[in-house]
Amino acid sequence: MWIYEKKLQYPVKIKNPNPRLAKIIISQLGGPHGELGAASRYLSQRFSMPDRKIVGILTDVGTEELAHVEIVSAILHQLTKGMSEEQVKNSGIDTYFVDHTAGIYPQAASGMPFSTSTIASTGDVLADLHEDLAAEQKARVTYDNILRLVDDPDVKDPIKFLRQREINHYQRFAESLGIAKDALTDKKNFYYYNPAFDKV
Amino acid sequence: MNQKEQLLKRLQSLEFAMVDLGQYLDTHPGCREALSYYKDLKAEHESVKGKYEEQFGPITAGGGGNADYWDWIATPWPWELAP
């Protein structure tokens, strides 16, 4: 279960609405490397992990990703709240506005709706942990690209926080991969069997 | 920064430290230094959370204990900007 805390993990205080930035940043809500996918990925994968430490890290990182979904949504909300009709027409957000107005809908910047086809949960310990390491790097890349396209310091600040968290999570997943490999009976061949399914 | 913002910032800082340290402990569960630091953070977090809720309303539902009104829905949501 989860208990909601009525605060953001990191503050978001954007003074100037800017729907052009929302149109880009929405990818980190519902895009292929976004926070909603991250939460779904880790919170689903943990059930087949044989090691208690790895179940712990997937639970805690997955939970933190839910807080990141909220941070990205807060950024999008503040960037689009009170936008003028002129801004809707000229910022490029008109194709989103037509279906969602200034509501929050998880999709990629390209317009593709959020889909779990962008995550993996294979039931295989090594495949899942490699997926997680790659996922943290892909999310970091998207945040780097967002930082290249954004000039408002009020927006950059929480984006930099989220970017840094990808790096910390990568570190923890790298340790998890080490833990998983150490537990394999045949350490010379990591890929001989799936410790979550095969009986050795 | 007013008192509410200061308390909230402290609360966010403490909780962030607990989130990050908790994840470290998941992969280093026998690290005594981290365990002791986590315990200190948790104690201060509880105290700051109590202080905040008493003055400014709930962080978790029921916090602050107003006997006349369900403050959970009365105080601003975290994405709302102060007017």
Side-chain angles (χ1 to χ4, degrees):
Chain A
M1 75 161 288
W2 277 264
I3 294 173
Y4 184 70
E5 291 196 12
K6 201 170 177 180
K7 64 176 174 53
L8 295 176
Q9 190 196 11
Y10 190 88
V12 178
K13 285 173 191 164
I14 299 167
K15 291 185 269 309
N16 303 314
N18 187 338
R20 189 184 64 80
L21 300 185
K23 196 175 155 31
I24 299 161
I25 292 168
I26 200 166
S27 247
Q28 276 308 85
L29 174 60
H33 316 140
E35 301 290 357
L36 193 56
S40 314
R41 176 187 296 115
Y42 306 141
L43 295 176
S44 300
Q45 286 179 355
R46 64 203 172 115
F47 292 91
S48 57
M49 283 293 166
D51 190 286
R52 307 188 74 78
K53 299 189 220 40
I54 304 175
V55 177
I57 197 68
L58 287 169
T59 300
D60 292 345
V61 174
T63 300
E64 188 182 352
E65 306 295 7
L66 292 172
H68 296 176
V69 168
E70 189 183 34
I71 292 175
V72 176
S73 302
I75 293 172
L76 298 172
H77 171 71
Q78 292 180 12
L79 284 173
T80 53
K81 188 173 164 56
M83 60 182 170
S84 65
E85 272 186 39
E86 222 33 55
Q87 279 179 309
V88 172
K89 286 179 189 162
N90 299 333
S91 64
I93 207 166
D94 51 350
T95 51
Y96 178 87
F97 178 88
V98 67
D99 291 318
H100 311 292
T101 331
I104 301 296
Y105 175 73
Q107 65 166 49
S110 66
M112 190 176 78
F114 170 68
S115 165
T116 50
S117 64
T118 60
I119 70 167
S121 179
T122 65
D124 180 283
V125 175
L126 294 179
D128 278 359
L129 287 172
H130 281 100
E131 149 91 1
D132 302 344
L133 286 161
E136 294 295 332
Q137 289 303 325
K138 288 187 282 182
R140 194 260 311 150
V141 169
T142 303
Y143 282 126
D144 276 339
N145 289 337
I146 288 171
L147 287 168
R148 289 185 178 102
L149 299 167
V150 169
D151 41 17
D152 182 345
D154 290 350
V155 181
K156 281 183 122 156
D157 185 48
I159 296 290
K160 282 182 187 166
F161 169 81
L162 294 167
R163 178 192 183 277
Q164 182 58 45
R165 295 309 292 154
E166 310 300 341
I167 295 166
N168 286 54
H169 294 164
Y170 180 82
Q171 175 66 29
R172 298 283 95 85
F173 287 136
E175 289 158 2
S176 301
L177 184 59
I179 290 166
K181 285 180 174 177
D182 285 346
L184 297 179
T185 50
D186 180 2
K187 287 179 191 159
K188 287 180 190 148
N189 183 357
F190 299 137
Y191 310 101
Y192 184 57
Y193 73 105
N194 171 12
F197 189 77
D198 298 313
K199 293 183 181 56
V200 181
Chain B
M1 206 182 278
N2 61 33
Q3 203 205 345
K4 183 182 175 183
E5 288 168 337
Q6 272 173 8
L7 264 180
L8 182 61
K9 192 176 176 190
R10 183 71 193 144
L11 191 62
Q12 282 170 317
S13 305
L14 287 163
E15 185 159 290
F16 173 66
M18 287 165 72
V19 164
D20 196 46
L21 191 61
Q23 290 170 10
Y24 171 83
L25 277 162
D26 287 340
T27 53
H28 304 78
C31 178
R32 295 182 71 164
E33 198 185 344
L35 285 166
S36 153
Y37 184 34
Y38 192 93
K39 198 178 155 200
D40 293 347
L41 288 166
K42 191 167 185 286
E44 195 187 344
H45 178 268
E46 267 168 43
S47 143
V48 174
K49 180 171 177 269
K51 250 185 241 171
Y52 180 95
E53 289 186 317
E54 210 169 285
Q55 292 184 66
F56 304 112
I59 290 289
T60 46
N66 186 343
D68 301 317
Y69 199 77
W70 183 241
D71 273 344
W72 185 240
I73 56 98
T75 55
W77 294 98
W79 52 87
E80 289 180 64
L81 288 167

